Amino acid sequence: MDAEILSVGTELLLGEISDTNAQYISSRLRDIGVNVYRRLTVGDNPKRLTSAFQESIERADIVLSTGGLGPTDDDVTAQCLATALGRGLVFSEEAWGSIESSLRRRNRVPSPSDRKQAYIIDGGFFIPNAVGTAPGQGVVIDSKLAILLPGPPFEMKPMFEDHVITLIRQKYHDLEPIKYLNLNIVGLPEAKVAEAVSDLMKSDNPSVAPYTGIGQVRLRIAARGRDENEQTAMIANMEKEVRKRLGRYIYGTNDETLEEVIGRMLSRRGLTLAVAESVTGGLVSYRVTEVPGSSKYFKMGMIAYDPGVKASNLGIPFEFINENQAVNEEVAKGMAQSIRLLAGADLGLSTTGFAGPDGGTESEPVGTVYIGLDHKQGNLVERILYPSTRSRTRSYAAQQALRVLYRFLVGLAE
């Protein structure tokens, strides 16, 4: 079963907003066993949008569009689909009743322009919108299905979940839903992960595929079928084999974050943490404290950006601060130790480096970051080099700092 997604709106083409709707719909169609082969973005141009609908309906079994269902003149989606099908629009009392009810809840009096949203394609059906005013609609064309949904994601998503998935399942009974598990990996680049599971990646069902992120890799195991228990068993067997090969480089599954896993480990062991940051500007502390309950193990964070603050508040000797503009092993080591002692914590974590675009030295170019970890039995320092944009370098450095902490906690040698 094949689908195409049309995202309607000139603002999307101009890059003024991101198309999160298409991403969401693609992922949910995948889950229920529908293949998405094309995603198109079309502006509010009736001629081009009508042509896009004609082409998509010819190619795909299911066509879903978002956007262009409002009351203004540039909301032309319904009319364009009707034209593509050679049909007209008819007024729906059911849709109008829903619109009036929604407007009353907002203390608004319906206007003549609001009635435009109550016109649906002749022979089509109304899809209620419990959140906004613009209803959706759909139409069956022989063996095919076309669905129009509003653009705002907070309206579109509940309509898709509450109505569209049911409509698709009722019309198409031979779908093979996909069940999947993501294994989150840190400490190995994508190439190393792929090398470790290269033979497993040849499997068709379940399939195994790596995806890279900033400082981590996601390995997706997916099984297609109609028997959920069989899918679960296939995924479990593959997961067991992957874990044999990658071990504790796998820190979590699906939506688990590195900071959540670290938080559980700290809580379980009764350990506390303090963080001193320079190059990351508070990103490490932010991620750690985003986890509910982090106050049990997070003592304090300090952004020691200025060299003088590194000296006066953390006691770093000026001889180390003056070396490569405070980007060196001794500064990272001293920051981690000082913040640990200052906070009375079990562990101290630090970052110092050059995020760019300016700065850096011949021996320590832009993208150089030192990460320090101090504990009661000793300390360690790791140097990384990640020349990129300022934002990406900082994000990568924060991820690597958490990786250093995670790997220390699980006892993996660098």
Side-chain angles (χ1 to χ4, degrees):
M1 196 57 55
D2 304 335
E4 292 194 13
I5 300 170
L6 271 66
S7 302
V8 182
T10 302
E11 66 276 14
L12 294 170
L13 286 177
L14 296 177
E16 295 175 353
I17 62 173
S18 299
D19 186 6
T20 59
N21 283 344
Q23 180 184 16
Y24 175 84
I25 293 172
S26 291
S27 67
R28 293 298 288 122
L29 289 176
R30 170 205 64 197
D31 292 344
I32 65 174
V34 176
N35 302 310
V36 177
Y37 286 146
R38 286 183 179 84
R39 296 195 329 203
L40 299 87
T41 302
V42 187
D44 301 308
N45 179 286
K47 184 177 179 180
R48 287 192 286 269
L49 183 53
T50 299
S51 176
F53 272 125
Q54 289 171 334
E55 293 170 4
S56 291
I57 291 169
E58 183 177 345
R59 287 189 299 252
D61 302 296
I62 302 170
V63 177
L64 287 124
S65 79
T66 62
L69 297 182
T72 61
D73 290 341
D74 62 348
D75 291 310
V76 296
T77 301
Q79 180 60 66
C80 289
L81 178 56
T83 301
L85 297 175
R87 304 186 187 187
L89 295 175
V90 296
F91 186 78
S92 167
E93 291 291 349
E94 183 183 16
W96 179 238
S98 175
I99 294 168
E100 285 187 307
S101 177
S102 179
L103 291 171
R104 282 196 296 269
R105 289 197 301 270
R106 291 164 173 75
N107 293 318
R108 281 182 51 193
V109 177
S111 66
S113 61
D114 290 318
R115 290 179 64 88
K116 176 186 175 184
Q117 298 174 105
Y119 281 85
I120 67 172
I121 297 166
D122 191 11
F125 53 88
F126 152 73
I127 300 176
N129 182 346
V131 179
T133 59
Q137 56 179 289
V139 59
V140 174
I141 313 107
D142 298 325
S143 63
K144 302 190 176 191
L145 177 65
I147 299 290
L148 310 184
L149 297 172
F154 68 94
E155 298 182 28
M156 183 279 296
K157 289 181 180 180
M159 294 173 70
F160 188 90
E161 295 296 331
D162 295 342
H163 302 284
V164 177
I165 288 180
T166 301
L167 287 168
I168 292 173
R169 284 176 168 160
Q170 286 176 344
K171 183 166 179 59
Y172 306 103
H173 303 290
D174 58 346
L175 298 178
E176 290 188 334
I178 295 177
K179 192 176 181 67
Y180 64 92
L181 174 73
N182 290 317
L183 299 178
N184 302 322
I185 300 160
V186 71
L188 287 177
E190 183 181 18
K192 289 290 186 182
V193 172
E195 183 181 317
V197 298
S198 59
D199 59 320
L200 303 180
M201 290 170 60
K202 297 175 183 178
S203 170
D204 179 59
N205 193 24
S207 62
V208 178
Y211 302 89
T212 188
I214 296 182
Q216 72 174 41
V217 177
R218 173 169 55 92
L219 196 66
R220 183 171 178 266
I221 304 172
R224 182 186 295 272
R226 299 177 189 175
D227 187 322
E228 186 174 351
N229 292 331
E230 184 178 341
Q231 288 176 285
T232 300
M234 285 193 291
I235 290 173
N237 290 335
M238 185 64 79
E239 179 189 6
K240 184 177 179 180
E241 181 59 33
V242 171
R243 287 186 179 274
K244 281 183 185 178
R245 304 182 186 195
L246 298 178
R248 289 180 291 182
Y249 288 104
I250 301 171
Y251 72 79
T253 62
N254 293 331
D255 295 329
E256 280 185 304
T257 65
L258 189 53
E259 50 267 34
E260 288 173 339
V261 174
I262 287 172
R264 288 199 298 268
M265 296 171 76
L266 292 172
S267 294
R268 193 163 55 243
R269 300 181 189 183
L271 298 175
T272 55
L273 173 68
V275 179
E277 301 179 64
S278 183
V279 63
T280 47
L283 289 176
V284 177
S285 297
Y286 169 78
R287 286 182 57 176
V288 172
T289 56
E290 271 287 276
V291 179
S294 54
S295 59
K296 296 175 183 177
Y297 50 82
F298 187 74
K299 285 275 193 174
M300 69 173 292
M302 177 187 293
I303 304 174
Y305 224 65
D306 183 78
V309 173
K310 290 182 176 73
S312 61
N313 290 59
L314 293 174
I316 310 300
F318 276 104
E319 60 186 280
F320 298 138
I321 291 175
N322 293 331
E323 181 186 337
N324 292 317
Q325 303 169 38
V327 178
N328 58 70
E329 180 177 338
E330 294 302 325
V331 169
K333 185 187 299 182
M335 289 173 66
Q337 182 182 62
S338 294
I339 198 68
R340 181 179 72 82
L341 296 174
L342 182 62
D346 297 299
L347 300 168
L349 188 63
S350 69
T351 64
T352 184
F354 295 118
D358 302 319
T361 66
E362 186 175 345
S363 61
E364 307 293 0
V366 168
T368 300
V369 174
Y370 282 88
I371 299 164
L373 178 64
D374 189 81
H375 52 98
K376 294 177 182 178
Q377 286 74 43
N379 54 64
L380 62 92
V381 177
E382 182 174 331
R383 178 184 184 270
I384 63 173
L385 182 61
Y386 189 77
S388 184
T389 63
R390 181 176 179 84
S391 176
R392 285 182 66 86
T393 296
R394 283 156 50 90
S395 296
Y396 182 82
Q399 175 74 0
Q400 294 307 311
L402 292 173
R403 172 188 60 81
V404 168
L405 176 57
Y406 167 76
R407 296 193 68 184
F408 171 80
L409 290 171
V410 298
L412 285 173
E414 294 293 335

Coordinates of all heavy atoms in Angstrom, one line a residue, residues 162-237:
D162 N -7.2 10.0 15.7 CA -8.6 9.6 16.1 C -9.5 9.2 14.9 O -10.4 8.4 15.1 CB -9.3 10.8 16.8 CG -8.7 11.2 18.1 OD1 -8.0 10.3 18.7 OD2 -8.9 12.3 18.6
H163 N -9.1 9.6 13.7 CA -10.0 9.3 12.6 C -9.3 8.7 11.4 O -9.7 7.7 10.8 CB -10.7 10.6 12.1 CG -11.5 11.3 13.2 ND1 -12.7 10.8 13.6 CD2 -11.2 12.3 13.9 CE1 -13.2 11.5 14.5 NE2 -12.3 12.5 14.8
V164 N -8.1 9.2 11.0 CA -7.5 8.8 9.7 C -7.0 7.4 9.8 O -7.1 6.6 8.9 CB -6.4 9.8 9.3 CG1 -5.7 9.3 8.1 CG2 -7.0 11.2 9.1
I165 N -6.3 7.1 10.9 CA -5.8 5.7 11.0 C -6.9 4.7 10.9 O -6.8 3.7 10.3 CB -5.0 5.5 12.4 CG1 -3.7 6.3 12.3 CG2 -4.8 4.1 12.7 CD1 -2.8 6.2 13.5
T166 N -8.0 5.0 11.6 CA -9.2 4.1 11.5 C -9.7 4.0 10.1 O -10.0 2.8 9.6 CB -10.3 4.6 12.4 OG1 -9.8 4.6 13.8 CG2 -11.5 3.7 12.4
L167 N -9.8 5.1 9.4 CA -10.3 5.1 8.0 C -9.4 4.2 7.1 O -9.9 3.4 6.3 CB -10.3 6.5 7.4 CG -11.4 7.4 8.0 CD1 -11.2 8.9 7.6 CD2 -12.8 6.9 7.4
I168 N -8.1 4.3 7.3 CA -7.1 3.5 6.5 C -7.3 2.1 6.8 O -7.3 1.2 5.9 CB -5.7 4.0 6.7 CG1 -5.5 5.5 6.1 CG2 -4.7 3.1 6.0 CD1 -4.2 6.1 6.5
R169 N -7.3 1.7 8.0 CA -7.4 0.3 8.4 C -8.8 -0.3 8.0 O -8.8 -1.5 7.6 CB -7.3 0.2 9.9 CG -5.8 0.3 10.4 CD -5.7 0.3 11.9 NE -4.3 0.1 12.3 CZ -3.8 0.5 13.5 NH1 -4.6 0.9 14.4 NH2 -2.5 0.3 13.8
Q170 N -9.8 0.5 8.0 CA -11.1 -0.1 7.5 C -11.1 -0.3 6.0 O -11.8 -1.3 5.6 CB -12.2 0.9 7.9 CG -12.5 0.9 9.4 CD -13.6 2.0 9.8 OE1 -13.8 2.9 9.0 NE2 -14.2 1.9 11.0
K171 N -10.4 0.5 5.3 CA -10.5 0.4 3.8 C -9.5 -0.7 3.3 O -9.7 -1.4 2.4 CB -10.2 1.7 3.2 CG -10.3 1.6 1.6 CD -10.4 3.0 1.0 CE -10.4 2.9 -0.5 NZ -11.6 2.1 -1.0
Y172 N -8.3 -0.7 4.0 CA -7.3 -1.6 3.5 C -7.0 -2.7 4.6 O -6.4 -2.4 5.7 CB -6.0 -0.8 3.2 CG -6.2 0.3 2.2 CD1 -6.3 1.6 2.7 CD2 -6.4 0.0 0.9 CE1 -6.5 2.6 1.8 CE2 -6.7 1.0 0.0 CZ -6.7 2.4 0.4 OH -7.0 3.4 -0.5
H173 N -7.4 -3.9 4.3 CA -7.3 -5.0 5.3 C -6.0 -5.8 5.3 O -5.7 -6.6 6.1 CB -8.5 -5.9 5.2 CG -9.8 -5.2 5.3 ND1 -10.3 -4.7 6.5 CD2 -10.7 -5.0 4.4 CE1 -11.5 -4.1 6.3 NE2 -11.8 -4.3 5.0
D174 N -5.2 -5.6 4.2 CA -4.0 -6.4 4.1 C -2.7 -5.7 4.5 O -1.6 -6.0 4.1 CB -3.8 -6.8 2.6 CG -3.8 -5.6 1.7 OD1 -4.1 -4.5 2.1 OD2 -3.4 -5.8 0.5
L175 N -2.8 -4.7 5.4 CA -1.6 -4.0 5.8 C -0.8 -4.8 6.8 O -1.3 -5.6 7.5 CB -2.1 -2.7 6.6 CG -2.8 -1.6 5.8 CD1 -3.2 -0.5 6.7 CD2 -2.0 -1.2 4.6
E176 N 0.5 -4.7 6.7 CA 1.4 -5.3 7.6 C 2.1 -4.3 8.4 O 3.1 -3.7 8.0 CB 2.5 -6.2 6.8 CG 1.9 -7.4 6.1 CD 3.0 -8.3 5.5 OE1 4.0 -7.7 5.2 OE2 2.7 -9.5 5.4
P177 N 1.6 -4.0 9.6 CA 2.2 -3.0 10.4 C 3.7 -3.3 10.7 O 4.1 -4.4 10.7 CB 1.4 -3.1 11.7 CG 0.1 -3.7 11.3 CD 0.4 -4.6 10.2
I178 N 4.4 -2.2 11.0 CA 5.8 -2.4 11.3 C 6.0 -2.1 12.8 O 5.5 -1.1 13.4 CB 6.7 -1.4 10.6 CG1 6.6 -1.7 9.1 CG2 8.1 -1.4 11.0 CD1 7.4 -0.7 8.2
K179 N 6.7 -3.0 13.5 CA 7.0 -2.9 14.9 C 8.5 -2.7 14.9 O 9.3 -3.3 14.2 CB 6.6 -4.1 15.7 CG 6.7 -4.0 17.2 CD 6.2 -5.3 17.9 CE 6.2 -5.2 19.4 NZ 5.2 -4.2 19.8
Y180 N 9.0 -1.8 15.8 CA 10.4 -1.5 15.7 C 11.0 -1.2 17.1 O 10.2 -0.9 18.1 CB 10.7 -0.3 14.8 CG 10.1 1.0 15.2 CD1 10.8 1.9 16.0 CD2 8.8 1.3 14.8 CE1 10.2 3.1 16.4 CE2 8.2 2.5 15.2 CZ 9.0 3.4 16.0 OH 8.4 4.6 16.4
L181 N 12.3 -1.3 17.2 CA 13.0 -0.9 18.4 C 14.2 -0.2 18.0 O 15.0 -0.6 17.1 CB 13.4 -2.2 19.2 CG 14.3 -2.0 20.4 CD1 13.5 -1.4 21.6 CD2 14.9 -3.3 20.9
N182 N 14.5 1.0 18.7 CA 15.7 1.7 18.5 C 16.7 1.4 19.6 O 16.3 1.5 20.8 CB 15.4 3.2 18.4 CG 14.6 3.6 17.2 OD1 14.9 3.2 16.1 ND2 13.6 4.5 17.3
L183 N 17.9 1.1 19.2 CA 19.0 1.0 20.2 C 19.9 2.2 20.1 O 20.4 2.5 19.0 CB 19.8 -0.3 19.9 CG 19.0 -1.6 20.0 CD1 19.9 -2.8 19.7 CD2 18.4 -1.8 21.4
N184 N 20.0 2.9 21.2 CA 20.8 4.2 21.2 C 22.2 3.9 21.6 O 22.5 3.3 22.7 CB 20.2 5.2 22.2 CG 18.7 5.5 21.8 OD1 18.4 5.5 20.6 ND2 17.8 5.7 22.7
I185 N 23.2 4.3 20.8 CA 24.6 3.9 21.0 C 25.4 5.2 21.1 O 25.3 6.1 20.4 CB 25.0 3.1 19.8 CG1 24.2 1.8 19.6 CG2 26.5 2.7 19.9 CD1 24.2 1.2 18.3
V186 N 26.3 5.1 22.1 CA 27.3 6.2 22.3 C 28.7 5.7 22.4 O 28.9 4.6 23.0 CB 26.9 7.1 23.5 CG1 27.1 6.4 24.8 CG2 27.6 8.4 23.5
G187 N 29.6 6.4 21.9 CA 31.0 6.0 22.0 C 31.6 5.3 20.8 O 32.8 5.0 20.7
L188 N 30.7 5.0 19.8 CA 31.2 4.4 18.5 C 30.6 5.2 17.4 O 29.5 5.6 17.4 CB 30.7 3.0 18.4 CG 31.3 1.9 19.3 CD1 30.6 0.6 19.1 CD2 32.8 1.7 19.0
P189 N 31.5 5.5 16.4 CA 30.9 6.2 15.2 C 30.1 5.3 14.3 O 30.1 4.0 14.5 CB 32.2 6.6 14.4 CG 33.2 5.6 14.9 CD 32.9 5.3 16.3
E190 N 29.3 5.8 13.4 CA 28.4 5.0 12.6 C 29.1 4.0 11.8 O 28.6 2.8 11.7 CB 27.6 6.0 11.7 CG 26.5 5.2 10.8 CD 25.8 6.1 9.9 OE1 26.3 7.2 9.6 OE2 24.7 5.7 9.4
A191 N 30.3 4.3 11.3 CA 31.0 3.3 10.5 C 31.4 2.1 11.3 O 31.3 0.9 10.9 CB 32.3 3.9 9.9
K192 N 31.8 2.3 12.6 CA 32.1 1.1 13.5 C 30.9 0.3 13.8 O 31.0 -0.9 13.9 CB 32.8 1.7 14.7 CG 34.2 2.2 14.5 CD 35.2 1.1 14.2 CE 36.6 1.6 14.1 NZ 37.6 0.5 13.8
V193 N 29.8 1.0 14.1 CA 28.5 0.3 14.4 C 28.1 -0.6 13.2 O 27.8 -1.7 13.3 CB 27.4 1.3 14.7 CG1 26.1 0.5 14.9 CG2 27.7 2.0 16.0
A194 N 28.2 0.0 12.0 CA 27.8 -0.7 10.8 C 28.7 -1.9 10.5 O 28.3 -3.0 10.1 CB 27.8 0.3 9.6
E195 N 30.0 -1.7 10.8 CA 30.9 -2.8 10.6 C 30.6 -3.9 11.6 O 30.7 -5.1 11.2 CB 32.3 -2.2 10.9 CG 33.5 -3.2 10.7 CD 34.8 -2.6 11.0 OE1 35.1 -1.5 10.6 OE2 35.6 -3.3 11.7
A196 N 30.2 -3.6 12.8 CA 30.0 -4.6 13.8 C 28.7 -5.5 13.5 O 28.6 -6.6 13.9 CB 29.8 -4.0 15.2
V197 N 27.8 -4.9 12.7 CA 26.5 -5.6 12.4 C 26.3 -5.7 10.9 O 25.2 -5.8 10.5 CB 25.3 -4.8 13.1 CG1 25.5 -4.8 14.6 CG2 25.2 -3.4 12.6
S198 N 27.4 -5.7 10.2 CA 27.2 -5.6 8.7 C 26.4 -6.8 8.2 O 25.6 -6.7 7.3 CB 28.6 -5.6 8.0 OG 29.4 -6.7 8.4
D199 N 26.7 -8.0 8.7 CA 25.9 -9.2 8.3 C 24.5 -9.2 8.7 O 23.6 -9.6 7.9 CB 26.6 -10.5 8.8 CG 26.6 -10.5 10.3 OD1 26.9 -9.5 11.0 OD2 26.4 -11.6 10.9
L200 N 24.2 -8.6 9.8 CA 22.8 -8.5 10.3 C 22.0 -7.5 9.4 O 20.8 -7.6 9.3 CB 22.7 -8.0 11.8 CG 23.5 -8.9 12.8 CD1 23.4 -8.3 14.2 CD2 23.0 -10.3 12.7
M201 N 22.7 -6.5 8.9 CA 22.0 -5.5 8.0 C 21.5 -6.1 6.7 O 20.8 -5.4 6.0 CB 23.0 -4.3 7.8 CG 23.2 -3.5 9.0 SD 24.5 -2.2 8.8 CE 23.9 -1.3 7.5
K202 N 21.9 -7.3 6.4 CA 21.5 -8.0 5.2 C 20.1 -8.6 5.4 O 19.5 -9.1 4.4 CB 22.5 -9.0 4.7 CG 23.9 -8.4 4.3 CD 24.9 -9.5 4.0 CE 26.2 -8.9 3.7 NZ 27.3 -9.9 3.5
S203 N 19.7 -8.7 6.6 CA 18.4 -9.3 6.9 C 17.3 -8.4 6.4 O 17.3 -7.2 6.6 CB 18.2 -9.5 8.4 OG 16.9 -9.9 8.8
D204 N 16.3 -9.0 5.8 CA 15.1 -8.3 5.3 C 14.0 -8.1 6.3 O 13.4 -7.0 6.4 CB 14.6 -9.0 4.1 CG 13.4 -8.3 3.5 OD1 13.5 -7.1 3.1 OD2 12.3 -8.9 3.4
N205 N 13.8 -9.1 7.1 CA 12.7 -9.0 8.1 C 13.1 -9.9 9.3 O 13.0 -11.2 9.1 CB 11.4 -9.4 7.5 CG 10.2 -9.1 8.4 OD1 10.3 -8.2 9.3 ND2 9.1 -9.8 8.3
P206 N 13.6 -9.4 10.4 CA 13.6 -7.9 10.7 C 14.8 -7.3 10.0 O 15.8 -7.9 9.7 CB 13.8 -7.9 12.2 CG 14.6 -9.2 12.5 CD 14.0 -10.2 11.5
S207 N 14.6 -6.0 9.8 CA 15.7 -5.2 9.1 C 16.5 -4.5 10.2 O 16.0 -4.2 11.3 CB 15.1 -4.2 8.2 OG 14.3 -3.3 8.9
V208 N 17.7 -4.2 9.9 CA 18.6 -3.5 10.9 C 19.3 -2.4 10.1 O 19.9 -2.6 9.0 CB 19.7 -4.5 11.4 CG1 20.6 -3.7 12.4 CG2 19.0 -5.6 12.2
A209 N 19.2 -1.1 10.6 CA 19.8 0.0 9.9 C 20.3 1.0 10.9 O 19.6 1.3 11.9 CB 18.8 0.6 9.0
P210 N 21.5 1.6 10.7 CA 22.0 2.6 11.6 C 21.7 4.0 11.1 O 21.7 4.2 9.9 CB 23.6 2.3 11.6 CG 23.8 1.8 10.2 CD 22.5 1.1 9.8
Y211 N 21.5 4.9 12.0 CA 21.3 6.3 11.7 C 22.1 7.2 12.7 O 22.1 6.9 13.9 CB 19.8 6.7 11.9 CG 18.9 5.9 11.0 CD1 18.3 4.7 11.5 CD2 18.5 6.3 9.7 CE1 17.5 3.9 10.7 CE2 17.7 5.5 9.0 CZ 17.2 4.3 9.5 OH 16.3 3.5 8.7
T212 N 22.8 8.1 12.1 CA 23.7 8.9 12.9 C 23.1 10.2 13.4 O 22.2 10.8 12.8 CB 25.0 9.3 12.1 OG1 26.0 9.9 13.0 CG2 24.7 10.2 11.0
G213 N 23.5 10.6 14.6 CA 23.1 11.9 15.2 C 24.4 12.6 15.7 O 25.5 12.2 15.4
I214 N 24.2 13.7 16.4 CA 25.3 14.4 16.9 C 25.9 13.7 18.1 O 25.3 13.7 19.2 CB 24.9 15.9 17.3 CG1 24.5 16.6 16.1 CG2 26.1 16.6 18.0 CD1 24.2 18.1 16.4
G215 N 27.0 13.0 17.9 CA 27.6 12.3 19.0 C 27.0 10.9 19.4 O 27.4 10.4 20.4
Q216 N 26.1 10.4 18.6 CA 25.6 9.1 18.9 C 25.0 8.5 17.6 O 24.9 9.1 16.6 CB 24.5 9.2 20.0 CG 23.2 9.8 19.6 CD 22.2 9.7 20.7 OE1 22.4 9.9 21.8 NE2 20.9 9.4 20.3
V217 N 24.7 7.2 17.8 CA 24.1 6.4 16.6 C 22.9 5.7 17.1 O 22.8 5.2 18.3 CB 25.1 5.4 16.1 CG1 24.5 4.6 15.0 CG2 26.4 6.1 15.6
R218 N 21.9 5.7 16.3 CA 20.6 5.0 16.6 C 20.6 3.8 15.6 O 20.7 3.9 14.4 CB 19.4 5.8 16.4 CG 18.1 5.1 16.5 CD 17.0 6.1 16.5 NE 17.0 7.1 15.4 CZ 16.3 6.8 14.3 NH1 15.6 5.7 14.1 NH2 16.3 7.7 13.3
L219 N 20.5 2.6 16.2 CA 20.3 1.4 15.4 C 18.9 0.9 15.5 O 18.4 0.6 16.5 CB 21.3 0.3 15.9 CG 21.5 -0.9 15.0 CD1 22.3 -0.5 13.8 CD2 22.3 -2.0 15.7
R220 N 18.2 0.9 14.3 CA 16.8 0.6 14.3 C 16.6 -0.8 13.8 O 17.0 -1.3 12.7 CB 16.1 1.6 13.3 CG 14.6 1.4 13.2 CD 14.0 2.5 12.5 NE 12.5 2.4 12.3 CZ 11.9 1.8 11.3 NH1 12.7 1.3 10.3 NH2 10.6 1.7 11.2
I221 N 15.9 -1.6 14.7 CA 15.5 -3.0 14.3 C 14.0 -2.9 14.0 O 13.2 -2.6 14.9 CB 15.8 -4.0 15.5 CG1 17.3 -3.9 15.8 CG2 15.4 -5.4 15.1 CD1 17.6 -4.7 17.1
A222 N 13.6 -3.3 12.8 CA 12.1 -3.3 12.5 C 11.7 -4.6 11.9 O 12.4 -5.2 11.1 CB 11.9 -2.2 11.4
A223 N 10.5 -5.0 12.3 CA 9.9 -6.2 11.9 C 8.5 -5.9 11.3 O 7.7 -5.3 11.9 CB 9.8 -7.2 13.0
R224 N 8.2 -6.4 10.1 CA 6.9 -6.3 9.5 C 6.1 -7.6 9.5 O 6.7 -8.6 9.3 CB 7.1 -5.9 8.0 CG 5.9 -5.6 7.2 CD 6.2 -5.4 5.8 NE 7.0 -4.2 5.6 CZ 6.5 -2.9 5.4 NH1 5.1 -2.8 5.4 NH2 7.2 -1.9 5.2
G225 N 4.8 -7.4 9.8 CA 4.0 -8.6 9.9 C 2.6 -8.3 10.4 O 2.4 -7.2 10.9
R226 N 1.8 -9.3 10.4 CA 0.4 -9.2 11.0 C 0.3 -9.8 12.3 O -0.7 -9.7 13.0 CB -0.6 -9.8 10.0 CG -0.6 -9.1 8.7 CD -1.6 -9.8 7.7 NE -1.4 -9.2 6.4 CZ -2.1 -9.7 5.3 NH1 -2.9 -10.7 5.5 NH2 -1.8 -9.2 4.1
D227 N 1.3 -10.6 12.7 CA 1.3 -11.3 14.1 C 2.2 -10.5 15.0 O 3.4 -10.6 14.9 CB 1.7 -12.7 13.9 CG 1.6 -13.5 15.2 OD1 1.8 -12.9 16.3 OD2 1.2 -14.7 15.1
E228 N 1.6 -9.8 15.9 CA 2.4 -8.9 16.8 C 3.4 -9.7 17.6 O 4.5 -9.3 17.9 CB 1.5 -8.1 17.7 CG 2.3 -7.0 18.5 CD 1.3 -6.1 19.3 OE1 0.1 -6.2 19.0 OE2 1.8 -5.4 20.1
N229 N 3.0 -10.9 18.1 CA 3.8 -11.7 18.9 C 5.1 -12.2 18.1 O 6.2 -12.2 18.6 CB 3.1 -12.9 19.5 CG 2.0 -12.5 20.5 OD1 2.2 -11.5 21.2 ND2 1.0 -13.3 20.6
E230 N 4.8 -12.5 16.9 CA 5.9 -12.9 16.0 C 6.9 -11.8 15.7 O 8.1 -12.0 15.7 CB 5.3 -13.5 14.7 CG 6.4 -14.0 13.7 CD 5.8 -14.6 12.5 OE1 4.6 -14.9 12.4 OE2 6.6 -14.7 11.5
Q231 N 6.3 -10.6 15.5 CA 7.2 -9.4 15.3 C 8.0 -9.2 16.6 O 9.3 -8.9 16.5 CB 6.3 -8.2 15.1 CG 5.7 -8.2 13.7 CD 4.8 -7.0 13.6 OE1 3.7 -6.9 14.2 NE2 5.2 -5.9 12.9
T232 N 7.4 -9.3 17.8 CA 8.1 -9.0 19.0 C 9.3 -10.0 19.2 O 10.4 -9.7 19.6 CB 7.2 -9.1 20.2 OG1 6.1 -8.1 20.1 CG2 7.9 -8.9 21.5
A233 N 9.0 -11.3 18.8 CA 10.0 -12.3 19.0 C 11.2 -12.1 18.0 O 12.4 -12.2 18.4 CB 9.4 -13.7 18.7
M234 N 10.9 -11.7 16.8 CA 11.9 -11.4 15.8 C 12.8 -10.3 16.3 O 14.1 -10.3 16.2 CB 11.3 -11.1 14.4 CG 10.7 -12.2 13.7 SD 10.4 -11.9 11.9 CE 9.0 -10.7 12.1
I235 N 12.2 -9.2 16.8 CA 13.0 -8.1 17.3 C 13.8 -8.5 18.5 O 15.0 -8.1 18.6 CB 12.0 -6.9 17.6 CG1 11.4 -6.3 16.3 CG2 12.8 -5.8 18.4 CD1 10.4 -5.3 16.6
A236 N 13.2 -9.2 19.4 CA 14.0 -9.6 20.6 C 15.2 -10.5 20.2 O 16.3 -10.3 20.8 CB 13.1 -10.4 21.5
N237 N 15.1 -11.4 19.3 CA 16.2 -12.2 18.9 C 17.3 -11.4 18.2 O 18.5 -11.6 18.5 CB 15.7 -13.3 17.9 CG 14.9 -14.4 18.6 OD1 15.0 -14.6 19.8 ND2 14.0 -15.0 17.8

